Amino acid sequence: MNFSLIEDYAKAAPLSRWLGFSAAPDGDDAIFTLAFAERHIGNVQIRALHGGVIAAFLEFSAQAALNARLGGAAAIATVNSDIDYISSGRAEDMKARVRFLRIGRRLAFAEATGWQKDEASPVAVARFRFRIGEMET
């Protein structure tokens, strides 16, 4: 995976800075990180991450990974998403891994898994369908 393309994609998006987004190599794969910040808290009573923050992080991770897979040359738009929240996200960093189920000429299907302490105990799993290429108006 081309990490310079992931870095370029992240630098171009204000959401990336707000999330504290970063990526690190893991063999031929990447591990994405959401750096915890107080603004990410959704439930102050239990100090849990906001579900929207988790969803945005997983979606942005999948978009960045797809952008890198496509060589940074194609427009990407989310068609739909489905997110299963398995447990509460604690007030700490979150990691994610993206797996591509299929990348075609016009559509890509991806799954992103987010966790905190242990990858085997996910906080959320999201599935995405992305449109690849020029968007019709």
Side-chain angles (χ1 to χ4, degrees), residues 22-82:
S22 64
D26 184 42
D28 290 337
D29 210 357
I31 299 291
F32 301 95
T33 301
L34 163 72
F36 173 74
E38 285 297 320
R39 65 181 173 268
H40 298 154
I41 294 291
N43 185 331
V44 295
Q45 299 294 341
I46 62 172
R47 297 201 34 83
L49 292 176
H50 192 286
V53 171
I54 294 170
F57 167 60
L58 294 176
E59 182 175 1
F60 192 80
S61 297
Q63 289 173 338
L66 180 58
N67 181 67
R69 281 280 175 96
L70 298 174
I76 299 167
T78 304
V79 174
N80 66 359
S81 63
D82 177 51

Side-chain angles (χ1 to χ4, degrees), residues 109-129:
F109 300 85
E111 181 178 84
T113 303
W115 72 92
Q116 289 181 309
K117 294 283 185 205
D118 180 13
E119 189 171 357
S121 299
V123 170
V125 177
R127 286 157 299 286
F128 301 100
R129 182 171 51 180

